[in-house]
Amino acid sequence: MPTVPPQTSAEALLADGTTVELRPLGPDDHRAVLALHAEGMSEESRRLRFFGVSRNAPVQAADRLCAPRPGLLALGAWAGDDLVGEADCELLDHPAETAELALAVADRWHHRGVATLLLEHLVHRARADGIRFFEADTLFGNRAVHQVFADLGLPVEHRYTQGEVRIRVPLEESDERYRSAVDERGRLADIASLTALLRPGSVAVVGASRRPGSVGRTVLGKIRRGGFTGTVWAVNPHARDIDGEPSYPSIRALPAVPDLAVLAVPAGAVPGVAEECGAAGVRALVVLTSGLDAQEARGLMHACRRHSMRLVGPNSLGMAQTDPGVRLDAEFGGAFPRPGTAGVAVQSGGVGIALLQRLAWLGVGVSSFVSLGDKYDVSGNDLLQWWEADGRTDLALLHLESFGSPRAFARTARRVTRTIPVLTVDAGRSTAGRRGAASHTAAAATPTVTREALFRQAGITATRSIEELVEAAALLHAQPLPAPRGAVAVVSNAGGIGILAADACAEAGLELPELPAGLGELLPPGASTRNPVDTTAAVRPTELALFLRALEREEAVDAILVCLVPTALREPSGQDPARALLEGPARRRVPIAAVLLDQQVPVCYRGCADGGLLPAYSDSAAAARALAHARDRARWLAEPPSAPADAPDCDVHTARSLVDGYLTAHPDGGWLDPLTTADLLEAYELPLTTSVWARDEHTAAVAANGLRGLGHERKVALKAYWPDQVHKSAVGAVRTGLATDAEVRAVYREFDERFGSELAGAVVQPMASPGVELLAGVVQDQVFGPLVVLGMGGTAADVLADQVARLAPLSERDLTTMVTELRSAPLLTGTGVAPPVDLLAVRSVLARLSRLAEDFPELVETDLNPVIARPDGAVCVDARVRLERRPSFDPYLRRLRRPAAAEGQ
């Protein structure tokens, strides 16, 4: 059983975008459950549900479902005040891991995904309670129920007997097919719910005033001037008309129900206006108002959830949709974004204005723009799914200061980035100080490391500024990707500029390959074809064009960076060498970027003869960074989809008993003692060296003798222990190389004198054979989930700071790249002097840590340091584990976000 009950209720989207609340049924729901079965279901539906017609069946169902008893889980789906469906399971006597399942959905709510959504949440709760199988009896002709099980994504077993079907559903937690099915249902529901927001047929601006320059008046004017193809109304109880167009006193007074309402009213009025919109049938809100307090936020969210409205904001700049069939400009920033194919979502309105302005300068058009504001509901994850399906967007640009569900976001982004580039400004970076009382793993898990892991695994291009974002977007939008190797040929008409560009490429991690000397025949006398290439200032456009064509045919070249400075040397026609870039095709076999040092703007497009666009930069470092981002995307796309990391034979039952037992005895959590730590790691087959607990010097000496008798090396290590111990080596609590009983006894007495009453005992371990010392561990982030860290270990782990990190669950590919991305990777793979270590053993440690962290969110810190890796295996000689009570949480379960502000936190 989980140590903390799961969240008791959640809101989620049905297939048509309707919001329902899912929560357990209780005694107060008896009347609603009775109404569902007696009034909401036809006689035929009741016959299929109860295997016959009985007047008492609805009453009996209500009595059973609303009387709490052990072994019964019953969930209801509520649309407003109406119970529209229920799913329940009850433990069978034999075996206790199997539960009998039943479903009921009101007739008018059929084919909207109620049953499937209820089942997903029931599966989650059942797994948390240790249930491994669902079983259900259905009539052979109940096609609707059979289809629900077929579409669920879990394996289904059928047994047929005399017109009935016995269904058995194993609840495998690691079933990727099930997660993919849940993802697809969530994606379709999300898109359906966003249609009223991003493709509305009608809009009301509530709070549009007569005062020029006010937010409401500005947005109303922009919608009207922007050519919105639908109907727009102004709502203001104090004005009969605005700018010569009628104004209405309320949403209820409008001649029809708008799809979307834009709210520009005082904070105190927001909840009431939202409730009025919802009651009228509005399906989406954009709230421009800022400064809502906790009560106002709760009122706004309650109205949105109760009435199935999607919400952008509050504190939003607004949104824009450039689709020619919509043309909606409902924001109070600058000019209407140029129509195009880049989807843009930002949290900060100021960042949104700056980004749209730079995209306009560049000439990149926007498919849709959304200012998320305080992000109570609609998030970057929602918009990625919309852009994936809208048929227009081929580039996604994000500015996200926070993540509601990073693991769900990463899963969506991992899918979307396979088809369109997703770029972000990595906002919120910080240099969080290392906590003195934390493990080495926690010290490595800074916010920057965690966000980098998220972006790396999701294939997101993370930049450090708006300028860098636009620079990278310019290249990705107009040029092909380089080969994953990323070898760049630098060409310039001035040697010094070429050298600076080569330095910029090297600093960006790009390779500069050697070029064939024969290419020099295409250039003027005195030119150098060493990379960087110096064409000299005498190069003519025709010569440069021929050279570039030859260069792009070279297998050693994956990208070309051309740097040109203005000179007084011109052809008689007065044209300079830049003509060679513009008269050729814009898109070539390899990407090409220009650096024009006389250019006044940081980046812009130059039109080519074929109508394509060439990105031109004013600075070589910017162009090199853009090429490096393109190289990284090419590498990510070249990585085949990877299976989850394999960690067989984990004893989850034993580990659960250990974790629950400790937290029962220590409700506030803490660091596990050495024996419990060893037992927990052993349950997941993590290779902790033999450890013997000793409470006095005599027991320590006996333990040392016993280890020698087991065939270990003669020498042992002695480690003092007391609760909440920090770093043992730093306080002299570790002594190694003890060869005799006398040495063991003397060291124990020394510990006793030094640490006094703090000392609880000592751990005796055999000395491990030498090898490469590694750090492997996990930190549970409250928002991002478990982060797995691998690095160089030992007492200098923090000083060396050679670590890589990935968010769990790890894939088989992650196990490989975590090793190869270490700066010290040659020590593991073999340097020619020392043999390679057992990389399979290192991979196994990482895979098992990932599985342990996923299975037990209560493990907030796990620190294995050092793990000694050798050619014949890997062994951990010191481990620390800290537990805290944490709720059971499935990041992939379909549910809408609950922002802290709206919860009154």
Side-chain angles (χ1 to χ4, degrees):
M1 297 290 289
T3 57
V4 178
Q7 181 177 299
T8 57
S9 68
E11 292 88 18
L13 297 172
L14 297 179
D16 63 354
T18 300
T19 303
V20 293
E21 181 188 10
L22 303 164
R23 61 174 172 81
L25 297 174
D28 293 341
D29 300 317
H30 190 278
R31 180 178 296 179
V33 175
L34 179 60
L36 168 66
H37 290 88
E39 302 167 16
M41 299 170 66
S42 66
E43 185 173 302
E44 174 63 12
S45 295
R46 286 195 295 273
R47 184 186 70 81
L48 294 173
R49 167 64 182 85
F50 299 113
F51 291 39
V53 179
S54 169
R55 293 181 180 179
N56 293 328
V59 176
Q60 292 171 349
D63 290 344
R64 184 178 75 86
L65 295 174
C66 297
R69 62 179 182 273
L72 174 66
L73 288 173
L75 293 180
W78 303 79
D81 295 327
D82 297 329
L83 179 65
V84 299
E86 69 88 11
D88 63 89
C89 65
E90 189 163 10
L91 282 174
L92 299 173
D93 291 337
H94 301 289
E97 62 185 12
T98 302
E100 187 80 19
L101 176 69
L103 291 165
V105 176
D107 283 12
R108 70 186 187 92
W109 286 82
H110 284 181
H111 310 299
R112 297 167 75 173
V114 176
T116 309
L117 184 61
L118 278 166
L119 271 180
E120 289 175 17
H121 282 254
L122 197 64
V123 166
H124 169 66
R125 289 174 180 267
R127 285 172 171 171
D129 281 359
I131 297 172
R132 297 182 58 204
F133 300 94
F134 279 162
E135 290 191 355
D137 288 320
T138 67
L139 292 176
F140 183 81
N142 195 344
R143 295 181 180 178
V145 167
H146 291 299
Q147 192 63 50
V148 167
F149 284 111
D151 294 340
L152 189 59
L154 290 171
V156 180
E157 304 164 7
H158 300 85
R159 188 169 69 248
Y160 300 90
T161 56
Q162 298 180 348
E164 295 182 9
V165 183
R166 183 69 171 174
I167 292 175
R168 182 176 173 85
V169 183
L171 308 182
E172 289 93 348
E173 292 197 47
S174 58
D175 192 338
E176 181 60 25
R177 178 171 170 263
Y178 175 64
R179 281 188 176 175
S180 296
V182 173
D183 281 348
E184 180 62 10
R185 289 190 287 268
R187 185 183 72 85
L188 295 175
D190 217 23
I191 292 169
S193 74
L194 293 172
T195 301
L197 172 70
L198 292 167
R199 283 188 181 148
S202 54
V203 178
V205 180
V206 184
S209 75
R210 290 176 172 174
R211 180 167 54 86
S214 65
V215 171
R217 172 80 171 266
T218 299
V219 171
L220 178 65
K222 294 192 73 174
I223 293 174
R224 287 173 172 168
R225 292 191 301 273
F228 178 49
T229 59
T231 304
V232 59
W233 296 291
V235 176
N236 186 332
H238 308 294
R240 289 189 175 183
D241 66 85
I242 297 175
D243 286 339
E245 297 288 340
S247 175
Y248 297 85
S250 67
I251 287 286
R252 292 187 302 272
L254 294 175
V257 178
D259 294 327
L260 169 67
V262 180
L263 273 56
V265 299
V270 167
V273 173
E275 177 63 32
E276 181 186 357
C277 289
V282 174
R283 295 303 303 273
L285 298 181
V286 174
V287 178
L288 310 179
T289 310
S290 62
L292 274 66
D293 62 25
Q295 183 176 352
E296 291 158 351
R298 285 194 297 271
L300 171 61
M301 287 307 302
H302 176 74
C304 289
R305 296 292 191 248
R306 176 180 174 81
H307 298 293
S308 297
M309 294 186 293
R310 297 308 303 268
L311 166 67
V312 168
N315 193 24
S316 169
L317 178 72
M319 54 82 60
Q321 172 61 268
T322 68
D323 187 323
V326 181
R327 286 198 57 81
L328 174 63
D329 185 15
E331 45 82 32
F332 58 94
F336 183 42
R338 173 180 175 176
T341 58
V344 180
V346 298
Q347 276 190 254
S348 163
V351 170
I353 292 171
L355 184 53
L356 289 178
Q357 185 181 54
R358 283 161 175 77
L359 290 175
W361 291 343
L362 181 61
V364 172
V366 171
S367 59
S368 52
F369 164 78
V370 179
S371 167
L372 299 169
D374 293 337
K375 206 172 63 170
Y376 281 13
D377 176 29
V378 173
S379 66
N381 194 54
D382 296 306
L383 292 169
L384 281 180
Q385 297 191 102
W386 176 269
W387 294 329
E388 180 187 23
D390 70 358
R392 298 181 65 228
T393 303
D394 60 14
L395 180 70
L397 307 179
L398 301 172
H399 167 262
L400 302 176
E401 297 169 354
S402 62
F403 295 87
S405 178
R407 283 174 281 181
F409 172 79
R411 189 171 174 86
T412 298
R414 192 178 294 119
R415 183 185 71 245
V416 174
T417 49
R418 288 285 170 188
T419 56
I420 65 175
V422 178
L423 291 80
T424 186
V425 178
D426 186 7
R429 296 186 308 271
S430 67
T431 54
R434 297 168 185 252
R435 294 181 292 162
S439 64
H440 293 285
T441 304
T446 64
T448 298
V449 168
T450 307
R451 294 170 71 92
E452 286 175 353
L454 171 69
F455 297 143
R456 166 69 177 79
Q457 288 172 273
I460 294 172
T461 300
T463 65
R464 301 178 69 85
S465 66
I466 296 174
E467 289 73 18
E468 186 179 340
L469 177 77
V470 174
E471 292 160 3
L475 187 75
L476 291 171
H477 196 55
Q479 292 292 303
L481 290 175
R485 177 182 50 186
V488 179
V490 175
V491 180
S492 89
N493 64 346
I497 297 302
I499 292 171
L500 291 176
D503 289 343
C505 287
E507 290 169 0
L510 296 166
E511 175 188 339
L512 271 72
E514 292 187 11
L515 302 175
L519 290 173
E521 299 174 0
L522 302 172
L523 296 175
S528 169
T529 56
R530 295 177 63 86
N531 198 2
V533 175
D534 180 5
T535 66
T536 75
V539 68
R540 293 178 298 176
T542 53
E543 293 173 319
L544 183 57
L546 287 172
F547 179 78
L548 293 177
R549 288 197 197 102
L551 195 59
E552 69 175 299
R553 290 194 293 268
E554 290 294 325
E555 289 298 321
V557 175
D558 301 322
I560 302 173
L561 180 58
V562 183
C563 304
L564 299 175
V565 296
T567 70
L569 300 176
R570 305 275 180 168
E571 286 189 300
S573 62
Q575 293 176 315
D576 63 38
R579 195 186 86 194
L581 299 172
L582 304 181
E583 290 188 352
R587 294 180 69 88
R588 306 172 185 242
R589 182 186 72 83
V590 299
I592 186 167
V595 176
L596 307 178
L597 295 188
D598 59 342
Q599 183 171 288
Q600 298 301 308
V601 295
V603 59
C604 68
Y605 281 135
R606 299 295 179 101
C608 294
D610 65 351
L613 299 173
L614 177 75
Y617 302 83
S618 63
D619 176 60
S620 58
R625 285 193 300 267
L627 286 170
H629 285 308
R631 183 271 321 271
D632 291 344
R633 173 161 172 76
R635 286 180 175 176
W636 191 83
L637 289 173
E639 296 177 1
S642 180
D646 188 29
D649 303 322
C650 295
D651 187 351
V652 182
H653 178 74
T654 296
R656 173 52 66 193
S657 297
L658 291 167
V659 170
D660 288 351
Y662 179 85
L663 290 173
T664 299
H666 306 83
D668 294 332
W671 294 97
L672 293 184
D673 61 76
L675 290 182
T676 309
T677 298
D679 290 342
L680 181 61
L681 298 184
E682 183 180 1
Y684 274 67
E685 297 193 0
L686 284 158
L688 183 64
T689 190
T690 304
S691 303
V692 182
W693 177 247
R695 292 191 178 277
D696 53 50
E697 66 174 90
H698 174 72
T699 309
V702 171
N705 271 320
L707 291 174
R708 298 184 192 109
L710 291 174
H712 293 290
E713 290 189 12
R714 181 173 179 79
K715 295 181 180 181
V716 299
L718 198 64
K719 301 177 180 180
Y721 170 77
W722 57 89
D724 297 323
Q725 194 176 49
V726 186
H727 300 301
K728 288 186 280 289
S729 298
V731 294
V734 177
R735 293 290 295 275
T736 59
L738 307 179
T740 66
D741 288 358
E743 289 177 332
V744 172
R745 289 176 180 274
V747 169
Y748 195 99
R749 287 196 298 271
E750 180 186 328
F751 287 163
D752 202 13
E753 293 173 3
R754 177 180 296 182
F755 304 119
S757 59
E758 263 193 323
L759 185 69
V763 175
V764 188
Q765 294 176 334
M767 291 295 295
S769 300
V772 180
E773 293 190 352
L774 299 174
L775 157 71
V778 174
V779 174
Q780 290 277 1
D781 187 280
Q782 292 268 27
V783 175
F784 288 80
L787 184 79
V788 183
V789 177
L790 174 70
M792 300 308 294
T795 56
D798 292 341
V799 177
L800 294 173
D802 184 11
Q803 295 122 359
V804 293
R806 297 286 188 275
L807 291 167
L810 300 183
S811 67
E812 289 291 330
R813 177 71 182 173
D814 291 329
L815 301 183
T816 299
T817 57
M818 289 183 75
V819 172
T820 58
E821 288 180 11
L822 288 171
R823 297 194 305 273
S824 306
L827 295 178
L828 302 175
T829 57
T831 61
V833 177
V837 305
D838 185 348
L839 292 179
L840 288 178
V842 176
R843 290 166 60 97
S844 177
V845 168
L846 295 174
R848 293 178 184 281
L849 277 174
S850 173
R851 171 76 185 278
L852 182 63
E854 281 283 291
D855 290 346
F856 296 95
E858 301 94 334
L859 273 72
V860 293
E861 287 184 57
T862 306
D863 196 52
L864 311 185
N865 181 34
V867 174
I868 299 179
R870 303 188 301 264
D872 60 345
V875 62
C876 173
V877 299
D878 197 36
R880 302 176 66 227
V881 175
R882 185 165 67 89
L883 302 184
E884 284 182 6
R885 289 189 179 275
R886 294 284 176 92
S888 174
F889 180 77
D890 180 354
Y892 309 112
L893 186 67
R894 284 198 286 158
R895 58 193 149 198
L896 293 168
R897 299 176 60 244
R898 284 185 172 178
E903 294 293 315
Q905 299 171 358

